[in-house]
């Protein structure tokens, strides 16, 4: 590909980049909103959890497993009727958000589950001993303590969604995947295909670096024990501390 040909394709590539970021951004937001409570619920309803319910846990876990096991390209085709009902079309970036988000919710939910399980059970017991409700434990212990890991999980989800969005381009969803298929593969423009690959690699690298930096910064700022270090049984919880007051205000 010559420089003149690249210049002619530059507006198309720029629009494709924005389309990809648009699809991934909205899909990530929906995945976090849907996957975060789902992952926490998997922990709370598990054996020994605050809301122990083995039947509900097994049902939710099985649904998540089935959704995660389905290849995205098949999920996208299977959801076409639902996508048309939600967006009015099955083509374009808005239509692609539906299968992207639905495919990412169970993926992110499992990452949330793993992150929350890493929280020290002693913190939960300390808040319980002070009369903290389940909602207070989730809001003030589980989520804050797992936040660095949750950020890493969100970064992993974003990277996966970028790959999914490239596959969505095969059915006219737009974005960089659509450019690679229509121009790079179908028109045998190998140079343009490698340019889209390079752009995707750069975007993923920047997002991964930003996510890792945010997770490390939060981990250093909160300390090894997290923002609720005062809850640790070995340190004790003294009356008048910020941690104690936060629980009492609930």
């Amino acid at each position: 590909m010559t420089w003149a040909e690249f210049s002619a394709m530059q507006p198309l590539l720029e629009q494709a980049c924005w389309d990809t970021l648009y699809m991934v951004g909205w899909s990530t937001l929906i995945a976090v909103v849907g996957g975060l409570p789902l992952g926490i619920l998997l922990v709370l309803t598990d054996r020994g959890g605050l809301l122990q319910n083995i039947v509900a846990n097994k049902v939710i876990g099985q649904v998540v497993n089935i959704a995660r096991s389905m290849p995205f390209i098949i999920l996208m085709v299977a959801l076409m009727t639902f996508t048309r009902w939600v967006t009015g079309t099955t083509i374009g970036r808005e239509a692609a958000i539906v299968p992207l988000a639905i495919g990412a919710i169970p993926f992110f939910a499992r990452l949330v589950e793993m992150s929350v399980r890493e929280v020290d059970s002693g913190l939960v017991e300390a808040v319980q001993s002070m009369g903290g409700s389940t909602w207070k434990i989730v809001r003030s212990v589980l989520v804050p303590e797992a936040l660095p890991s949750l950020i890493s999980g969100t970064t992993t989800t974003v990277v996966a969604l970028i790959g999914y969005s490239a596959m969505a381009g095969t059915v006219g969803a737009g974005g960089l995947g659509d450019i690679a298929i229509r121009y790079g593969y179908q028109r045998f423009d190998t140079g343009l295909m490698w340019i889209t690959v390079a752009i995707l690699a750069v975007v993923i690298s920047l997002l991964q670096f930003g996510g890792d930096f945010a997770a490390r910064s939060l981990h250093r700022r909160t300390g090894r024990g997290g923002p609720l270090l005062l809850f640790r049984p070995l340190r004790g919880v003294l009356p008048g501390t910020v941690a104690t007051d936060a629980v009492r205000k609930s």
Side-chain angles (χ1 to χ4, degrees):
M1 173 181 289
T2 65
W3 179 255
E5 291 174 336
F6 174 75
S7 298
M9 296 296 295
Q10 186 174 353
L12 190 62
L13 288 170
E14 291 177 354
Q15 183 61 45
C17 287
W18 284 115
D19 288 345
T20 296
L21 294 176
Y22 178 86
M23 291 186 291
V24 171
W26 278 106
S27 301
T28 302
L29 178 62
I30 297 172
V32 170
V33 172
L36 182 61
L38 188 60
I40 294 175
L41 190 61
L42 283 169
V43 176
L44 295 180
T45 58
D46 199 4
R47 193 178 304 276
L50 298 174
L51 301 175
Q52 178 176 314
N53 189 322
I54 303 302
V55 175
N57 182 267
K58 295 299 183 183
V59 171
I60 297 172
Q62 192 62 29
V63 171
V64 169
N65 290 337
I66 292 174
R68 286 183 61 205
S69 65
M70 187 174 297
F72 178 71
I73 191 69
I74 297 177
L75 178 66
M76 191 164 47
V77 174
L79 290 174
M80 277 188 174
T81 302
F82 179 71
T83 300
R84 184 182 290 108
W85 178 74
V86 173
T87 65
T89 181
T90 58
I91 299 175
R93 62 184 190 179
E94 282 77 17
I97 292 174
V98 176
L100 284 171
I102 292 177
I105 286 175
F107 179 82
F108 184 68
R110 282 302 185 189
L111 296 178
V112 171
E113 181 187 10
M114 289 187 293
S115 299
V116 173
R117 287 189 187 281
E118 294 175 356
V119 176
D120 189 353
S121 59
L123 303 178
V124 176
E125 294 171 0
V127 179
Q128 281 183 306
S129 67
M130 291 186 291
S133 63
T134 300
W135 166 244
K136 184 62 181 180
I137 292 172
V138 171
R139 184 168 59 90
S140 299
V141 180
L142 297 181
V143 173
E145 284 288 320
L147 192 55
S149 182
L150 290 175
I151 292 176
S152 297
T154 303
T155 305
T156 302
T157 303
V158 172
V159 172
L161 281 171
I162 291 177
Y164 291 165
S165 70
M167 285 189 284
T170 61
V171 293
L176 291 170
D178 182 49
I179 297 297
I181 294 297
R182 285 196 294 127
Y183 292 91
Y185 177 72
Q186 295 178 350
R187 300 187 184 184
F188 304 101
D189 193 341
T190 307
L192 184 59
M193 179 180 290
W194 282 112
I195 289 174
T196 59
V197 170
I199 293 174
L200 286 170
V202 170
V203 171
I204 289 174
S205 297
L206 291 175
L207 289 172
Q208 188 68 57
F209 174 80
D212 291 344
F213 178 79
R216 287 195 301 268
S217 298
L218 184 61
H219 187 74
R220 287 196 298 267
R221 181 168 63 85
T222 58
R224 183 178 179 181
L228 300 180
L229 186 62
L230 290 174
F231 278 131
R232 293 194 182 279
L234 294 179
R235 300 284 183 99
V237 183
L238 300 178
T241 62
V242 175
T244 307
D245 292 342
V247 174
R248 288 176 175 173
K249 288 179 181 179
S250 63

